[in-house]
């Protein structure tokens, strides 16, 4: 029943002019191989989402789309970000199955065969997860581990070492369209669909061409979005910390009364200044976290579109 279905591989792009010809070559080879084995239909293809690139990405993709009808192109009106480029592709393409993958092809293409097999077995979502992080720098590996551990505490529905390399069925895509939130973190949102899911593990490859556009600032922004979008844990943590501070303040007050005659005026003043600084810092942090949630509410209330499509080809 699930054999010979139309697959579209969605590839978000931002300033990827150096990698595009190589990426198209490898993805077309993979599609032809799967089509020859009757795992997918002959009308399967690729959809590139140009996320407001400032280099020659749009021009290169336009020529590739003109030369091969299996290559589709979505041009966004500006740079909306990786998550929204993925969302634009998933909400626009007409396919039985989609697989999302980054343009650098560091995610193993061999895993696509296994993903398709899992789809044939009845799974609606197949998550591609890295088996290990041996090639990462110490800083990147450490921050990634901390992020996933924290996300596991804040948001139970998340897959360890999964970074938007996944297969989704038509059923999953249709359910995703019913979610209208403006601030999106797909790694947290898609597991909320509650469909039959599984995991495929793979070894991440080294980047062959170009440089990564995902720096530590962007990774932090994505992590913070994930934590605040799909969990109220930070607000609960404020409440818990506030209660702890109240208890500590009461204990400190009692201790200061007991040792009142021991400390001179200067020492007491320093203790008071330190305590005020600590409490002031906690209050400012609490206001900042609450402000983040209020800002997200404001974005949702405004109802602005998550992305805007400027033009398309072969869609």
């Amino acid at each position: 029943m699930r054999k010979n279905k139309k697959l579209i591989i969605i590839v978000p792009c931002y300033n990827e002019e150096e990698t595009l010809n190589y990426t198209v070559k490898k993805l077309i080879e993979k599609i032809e191989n799967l089509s020859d084995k009757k795992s997918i239909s002959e009308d399967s293809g690729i959809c590139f989402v140009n996320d407001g690139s400032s280099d020659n990405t749009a021009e290169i993709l336009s020529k590739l789309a003109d030369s091969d009808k299996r290559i589709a192109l979505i041009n966004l009106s500006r740079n909306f970000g990786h998550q929204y480029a993925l969302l634009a592709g998933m909400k626009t393409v007409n396919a039985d199955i989609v697989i999302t993958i980054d343009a650098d092809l560091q995610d193993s293409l061999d895993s696509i065969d296994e993903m398709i097999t899992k789809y044939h077995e009845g799974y609606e979502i197949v998550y591609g997860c890295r088996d290990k992080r041996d090639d990462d720098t110490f800083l990147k590996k450490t921050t990634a581990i901390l992020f996933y551990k924290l996300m596991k505490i804040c948001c139970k529905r998340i897959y360890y070492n999964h970074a938007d390399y996944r297969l989704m069925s038509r059923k999953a895509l249709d359910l995703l369209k019913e979610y209208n939130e403006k601030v999106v973190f797909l790694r947290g949102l898609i597991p909320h669909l509650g469909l039959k899911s599984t995991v495929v593990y793979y070894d991440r490859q080294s980047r062959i061409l170009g440089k990564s556009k995902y720096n530590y600032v962007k990774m932090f922004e994505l992590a913070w979005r994930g934590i605040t979008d799909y969990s109220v844990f930070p607000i609960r943590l404020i409440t818990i910390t506030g209660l702890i501070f109240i208890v500590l303040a009461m204990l400190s007050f009692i201790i200061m009364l007991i040792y009142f005659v021991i400390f001179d005026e200067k020492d007491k003043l320093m203790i008071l200044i330190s305590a005020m600084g600590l409490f002031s810092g906690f209050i400012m942090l609490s206001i900042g976290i609450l402000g983040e949630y209020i800002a997200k509410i404001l974005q949702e209330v405004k109802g602005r579109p998550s992305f805007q499509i400027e033009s398309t080809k072969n869609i």
Side-chain angles (χ1 to χ4, degrees), residues 31-95:
I31 287 173
E32 289 177 345
N33 179 263
L34 290 168
S35 178
D36 290 342
K37 294 189 294 187
K38 305 299 182 184
S39 295
I40 59 175
S41 66
E42 293 181 354
D43 60 343
S44 298
I46 315 164
C47 177
F48 288 94
V49 183
N50 174 35
D51 188 22
S53 298
S54 57
D55 62 1
N56 294 318
T57 294
E59 291 78 7
I60 294 171
L61 289 175
S62 181
K63 291 178 181 178
L64 288 168
D66 289 338
S67 65
D68 192 335
K69 296 303 179 183
R70 293 173 296 181
I71 301 171
L73 172 60
I74 298 173
N75 283 311
L76 301 185
S77 60
R78 63 172 176 82
N79 178 239
F80 286 87
H82 181 263
Q83 297 292 284
Y84 300 104
L86 287 173
L87 194 64
M90 291 189 287
K91 287 192 173 185
T92 304
V93 299
N94 180 23

Side-chain angles (χ1 to χ4, degrees), residues 241-260:
T241 308
L243 291 172
I244 293 172
F245 268 71
I246 290 172
V247 173
L248 291 175
M250 292 174 65
L251 291 173
S252 299
F253 179 73
I254 294 170
I255 292 170
M256 287 181 68
L257 285 178
I258 294 173
Y259 291 98
F260 182 81

Side-chain angles (χ1 to χ4, degrees), residues 26-27 30 101 105 107-113 165 205:
K26 290 297 182 182
L27 290 178
K30 175 57 64 177
I101 189 171
L105 297 188
D107 299 315
S108 173
L109 291 182
D110 293 336
S111 300
I112 291 179
D113 299 70
Y165 179 35
Q205 314 295 315

Side-chain angles (χ1 to χ4, degrees), residues 173-199:
L173 292 172
D174 289 340
L175 285 178
L176 181 64
K177 288 181 179 180
E178 297 179 13
Y179 286 72
N180 295 314
E181 55 251 58
K182 307 304 176 186
V183 184
V184 176
F185 178 67
L186 292 171
R187 299 178 209 181
L189 175 59
I190 291 175
H192 272 267
L193 300 179
L195 298 175
K196 187 178 180 181
S197 306
T198 189
V199 173

